[in-house]
């Protein structure tokens, strides 16, 4: 089954053709990051406008690269939630138009489910059940993936997402948006023990995270240094901050895996590109004899190939939509029934 998949939940307009959930026939991404960089973060109104401009050429290129016409496609998968509402609406309305005109099934896909599905492309042997740490710009969840379409959140952030914390701390250090990516590189040349930073825990919820105190600690260090007209080493501060975030992520994920008896550990989302997180979880899994899966670096950030991967399993589970499909800014990963 060949799906045309569309993604427009944030600042990437993407289209892909994916066969049977695992084989990527084409994948096209138009990133808006350079434009949003000017403002230090994503400007929702600009994002919507750029999606409207890019969606037709990006989709056409995905079909051309796959060597297929719309008629040769078996269904249209689209990210419908969660994300920036104006941005999501562009993809959802375009997908509805395509599905109606070509008389193809319309398959709504949850953004975080698709991030997890990026792993099905990278590791064709991977099948649920497994435990997954989903770390993106907007979400930080530990998820028990029981089957392709049955997912249970067992831990979550109480405040900032890991990616958001990386971006905000990076911004305070003068690193341009999206700071997490750049900070990861800078941190490679810093001393991770140069600054003692808090490792916040949530009382009574061992799998939950809290990153806002850690972010504030870094911002305070920078402000105090400025007042004393001192300069802090950005590589040392980056390395210390990255280590603190990764310590928290690894600690809770390892505990969750141990206590739920998971044999397979998976990571997903933009922050799963973080080199320290990848190394550390790989070590933990090796020591404990667990299988470890991570998406290829080009599938960690937002893309449509992952939407096509998850869309296939949603279709098999009967999760298609009619012309009344709407975009939703917020949506639990369990789906609309959990609202
Ligand atoms: O999943 P994603 O592309 O978009 C959302 O769904 O939010 O995640 C984007 C986030 C940004 O906060 C970005 O700074 C972060 O992922 N990110 C990283 C790295 N690469 C991307 N954070 C830390 N280290 C990285 N290497
Ligand atoms: Zn994402």
């Amino acid at each position: 089954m060949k799906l045309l998949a569309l993604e427009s939940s944030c600042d990437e307009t993407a289209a892909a053709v994916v066969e049977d959930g695992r084989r990527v026939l084409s994948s096209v991404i138009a990133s808006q990051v350079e434009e949003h960089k000017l403002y230090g973060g994503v400007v929702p109104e600009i994002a919507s406008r750029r999606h409207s401009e890019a969606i037709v050429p990006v989709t056409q290129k995905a079909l051309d690269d796959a060597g297929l016409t719309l008629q040769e496609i078996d269904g249209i998968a689209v990210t419908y939630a969660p994300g920036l509402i104006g941005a999501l609406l562009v993809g959802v309305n375009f997908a509805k138009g395509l599905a109606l005109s070509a008389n193809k099934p319309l398959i709504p896909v949850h953004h975080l489910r698709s991030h997890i599905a990026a792993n099905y492309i990278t590791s064709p042997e991977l099948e649920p059940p497994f435990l997954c740490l989903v770390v993106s710009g907007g979400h930080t969840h530990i998820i028990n993936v029981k089957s392709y379409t049955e997912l249970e959140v067992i831990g979550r952030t109480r405040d900032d997402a890991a990616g958001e914390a990386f971006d905000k701390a990076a911004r305070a250090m003068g690193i341009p948006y999206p700071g997490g990516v750049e900070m990861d590189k800078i941190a490679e040349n810093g001393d991770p023990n140069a600054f003692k930073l808090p490792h916040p825990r949530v009382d009574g919820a061992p799998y939950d995270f809290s990153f806002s105190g850690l972010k504030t600690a870094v911002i305070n260090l920078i402000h105090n240094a400025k007042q004393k007209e001192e300069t802090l080493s950005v590589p040392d501060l980056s390395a210390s901050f990255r280590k603190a975030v990764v310590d928290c992520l690894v600690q809770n994920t390892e505990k969750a895996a141990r206590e739920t008896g998971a044999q397979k550990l998976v990571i997903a989302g933009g922050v799963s590109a973080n080199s320290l997180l990848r190394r550390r979880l790989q070590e933990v899994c090796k020591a404990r004899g667990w299988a470890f899966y991570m998406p290829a670096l080009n599938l960690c950030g937002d893309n449509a190939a992952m939407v096509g991967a998850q869309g296939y399993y949603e279709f098999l589970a009967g999760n298609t939509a009619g012309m009344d499909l709407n975009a939703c800014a917020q949506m639990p990963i369990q789906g609309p029934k959990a609202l």
Side-chain angles (χ1 to χ4, degrees):
M1 179 182 205
K2 296 186 192 82
L3 292 184
L4 172 65
L6 304 168
E7 152 64 34
S8 69
S9 66
C10 191
D11 59 347
E12 260 97 31
T13 319
V17 178
V18 182
E19 187 169 15
D20 296 339
R22 303 270 174 168
R23 218 160 70 81
V24 180
L25 303 185
S26 67
S27 179
V28 181
I29 304 175
S31 175
Q32 309 170 359
V33 70
E34 287 306 317
E35 193 166 359
H36 296 294
K37 220 175 229 176
L38 294 172
Y39 307 97
V42 177
V43 183
E45 176 64 19
I46 294 178
S48 311
R49 285 167 188 252
R50 295 297 165 260
H51 286 309
S52 305
E53 290 161 6
I55 194 110
V56 173
V58 164
T59 304
Q60 189 60 58
K61 182 158 173 30
L63 287 170
D64 292 347
D65 288 357
L68 296 167
T69 64
L70 186 57
Q71 281 316 323
E72 290 167 312
I73 292 290
D74 302 304
I76 316 285
V78 63
T79 310
Y80 80 111
L84 300 172
I85 190 66
L88 287 164
L89 277 167
V90 176
V92 167
N93 284 320
F94 186 63
K96 281 160 76 169
L98 288 181
L100 184 67
S101 64
N103 194 24
K104 306 286 176 186
L106 177 65
I107 308 160
V109 176
H110 188 286
H111 185 59
L112 296 187
R113 290 191 185 199
S114 69
H115 269 302
I116 297 171
N119 285 283
Y120 303 142
I121 298 169
T122 302
S123 304
E125 74 283 12
L126 175 64
E127 287 176 4
F130 54 79
L131 195 75
C132 186
L133 172 69
V134 182
V135 266
S136 72
H139 297 85
T140 300
H141 285 350
I142 299 178
I143 295 171
N144 183 7
V145 181
K146 298 174 179 172
S147 76
Y148 291 106
T149 52
E150 283 171 288
L151 303 96
E152 179 195 11
V153 178
I154 62 168
R156 63 172 72 237
T157 182
R158 296 294 181 99
D159 39 57
D160 290 352
E164 188 183 356
F166 268 117
D167 294 343
K168 286 179 179 167
R171 189 175 178 169
M173 291 181 214
I175 302 169
Y177 176 84
V181 186
E182 202 53 37
M183 197 203 278
D184 189 20
K185 291 184 199 143
I186 295 171
E188 291 293 314
N189 299 313
D191 173 6
N193 300 312
F195 296 93
K196 289 269 160 296
L197 293 172
H199 286 56
R201 312 215 49 147
V202 180
D203 275 348
Y207 310 150
D208 281 2
F209 304 98
S210 169
F211 293 113
S212 78
L214 177 55
K215 170 199 70 189
T216 308
V218 166
I219 293 172
N220 286 344
L221 272 175
I222 295 168
H223 285 169
N224 289 343
K226 261 193 196 138
Q227 276 169 356
K228 293 186 209 153
E229 294 186 358
E230 292 169 4
T231 45
L232 298 178
S233 154
V234 173
D236 285 354
L237 198 51
S238 295
S240 303
F241 181 79
R242 181 178 72 162
K243 179 178 180 298
V245 172
V246 170
D247 281 346
C248 296
L249 292 172
V250 170
Q251 204 169 38
N252 293 12
T253 307
E254 183 176 7
K255 189 173 170 58
R258 232 179 338 105
E259 292 179 355
T260 59
Q263 294 299 309
K264 292 183 225 170
L265 199 61
V266 178
I267 54 173
V271 183
S272 69
N274 187 271
S275 47
L276 183 65
L277 179 65
R278 291 167 88 92
R279 285 200 294 273
R280 289 274 303 277
L281 281 177
Q282 214 157 13
E283 283 162 17
V284 164
C285 289
K286 198 170 168 210
R288 293 202 174 270
W290 299 333
F292 180 55
Y293 299 89
M294 51 191 173
L297 285 175
N298 66 342
L299 291 170
C300 291
D302 293 342
N303 65 85
M306 66 187 192
V307 180
Q310 182 62 26
Y312 174 68
Y313 294 103
E314 297 291 349
F315 180 82
L316 294 184
N319 298 333
T320 55
M323 284 301 125
D324 56 347
L325 176 67
N326 206 351
C328 301
Q330 311 236 12
M331 175 68 63
I333 197 163
Q334 297 91 325
K337 289 191 193 107
L339 274 175

